Amino acid sequence: TRFTKPISKLTTVAREIQGGAYDKQVEVVSSDEVGELSIAFNDMIRSLRQTRQENQTQNWYKTGQTQLNEQLRGIDDIAQLG
């Protein structure tokens, strides 16, 4: 059970993250290889959260830019009519 329980917890958290729960972390309970794996896993989760946040910010900018471009095209179309 020295390895089974911590690996089972890693599996559970991995599935939760797969489902979108990016706020999860694995409890580090030892300083052996399983503890190192848990630390690396938590680092990976932090990196995923950061990348996800950056992607959301970029998408927000792109959406705003697209909406602005559409409005400007509409203004150009109205100007051409007049």
Side-chain angles (χ1 to χ4, degrees):
T1 65
R2 179 176 158 222
F3 293 109
T4 306
K5 191 172 181 178
I7 291 174
S8 178
K9 287 182 180 182
L10 279 169
T11 302
T12 299
V13 172
R15 288 191 175 125
E16 290 174 346
I17 292 168
Q18 180 184 17
Y22 295 100
D23 60 333
K24 299 292 182 179
Q25 274 197 298
V26 175
E27 182 181 359
V28 180
V29 294
S30 66
S31 59
D32 60 6
E33 293 85 357
V34 175
E36 290 292 321
L37 178 61
S38 297
I39 291 169
F41 194 85
N42 287 336
D43 291 344
M44 180 186 66
I45 294 168
R46 274 190 291 280
S47 179
L48 282 171
R49 267 192 298 246
Q50 181 179 356
T51 300
R52 186 171 183 267
Q53 180 62 40
E54 290 169 0
N55 286 342
Q56 286 176 335
T57 300
Q58 288 176 356
N59 287 340
W60 183 82
Y61 287 139
K62 288 178 184 177
T63 300
Q65 183 180 17
T66 299
Q67 290 173 349
L68 179 60
N69 286 340
E70 288 173 359
Q71 289 178 356
L72 290 175
R73 274 196 299 267
I75 291 171
D76 285 345
D77 290 344
I78 290 171
Q80 289 176 1
L81 290 175

